[in-house]
Amino acid sequence: MENPSSRDWYYKIEMSPGVFTDGSDRPTIGPVRALYRDVSFDGLNCLDVGTMEGIMPSLMKRAGAKEVTATDWIDSSAKIEQVKKALDVDFTYHPKLTIPSLPSALGRTFDLVNFSGVLYHTLNPLGSLATVRSLCRLGGLMLVETRT
């Protein structure tokens, strides 16, 4: 595996015992993990919008999600592959997707949609919420976190 500290990472992720990426301890992870504790992921089909390096999809898979799809408007494919290998998880990753393109690009709905750390980056927060909400099946769960 490439040395995780050799590139700029957003999140600080423990890739192996005592080996961390050079990212930061983001204050958004704690609240989302707290929300995850109250969710039974067993057998769920999940979506993570704005995944960065894939820490949230990794947590979903480890918690028992059947299938996890992750998206972001940037391409972190190399980092995602390192995280998947280091944490021994597998999920589908779609880079370079903007929020307006998600419904047509994904073409389906999900049992659980995670929308954390993205809303305050959007020009149209209410439109973004509506678009992402359309990806959550009727009766599904959408988790939203924003620090602003």
Side-chain angles (χ1 to χ4, degrees):
M1 177 192 325
E2 178 181 333
N3 180 350
S5 65
S6 67
R7 302 165 89 196
D8 183 39
W9 289 71
Y10 186 75
Y11 288 113
K12 185 175 187 175
I13 304 169
E14 188 170 22
M15 302 292 271
S16 62
V19 178
F20 293 85
T21 60
D22 68 350
S24 300
D25 288 323
R26 301 290 173 172
T28 57
I29 291 180
V32 175
R33 289 187 77 168
L35 287 171
Y36 280 13
R37 284 188 205 104
D38 293 329
V39 175
S40 174
F41 284 91
D42 291 337
L44 295 183
N45 294 317
C46 303
L47 172 65
D48 183 43
V49 177
T51 200
M52 290 302 292
E53 294 111 358
I55 192 167
M56 296 309 171
S58 298
L59 293 173
M60 292 177 193
K61 283 299 284 189
R62 285 183 155 186
K66 175 182 173 185
E67 175 187 317
V68 178
T69 301
T71 69
D72 211 314
W73 70 276
I74 59 172
D75 188 348
S76 295
S77 295
K79 293 175 186 173
I80 292 279
E81 289 306 315
Q82 286 185 63
V83 168
K84 288 165 62 172
K85 183 176 179 181
L87 301 182
D88 192 28
V89 295
D90 191 31
F91 55 86
T92 304
Y93 175 56
H94 296 281
K96 298 183 180 180
L97 293 181
T98 62
I99 290 173
S101 72
L102 291 176
S104 61
L106 299 176
R108 60 177 284 206
T109 59
F110 298 83
D111 301 314
L112 183 144
V113 176
N114 182 65
F115 190 47
S116 62
V118 178
L119 194 60
Y120 54 93
H121 293 291
T122 66
L123 295 175
N124 180 359
L126 293 177
S128 296
L129 278 169
T131 299
V132 173
R133 171 59 184 93
S134 74
L135 299 167
C136 190
R137 73 164 171 79
L138 185 62
L141 180 63
M142 181 170 159
L143 303 175
V144 178
E145 177 280 326
T146 187
R147 46 181 236 193
T148 305

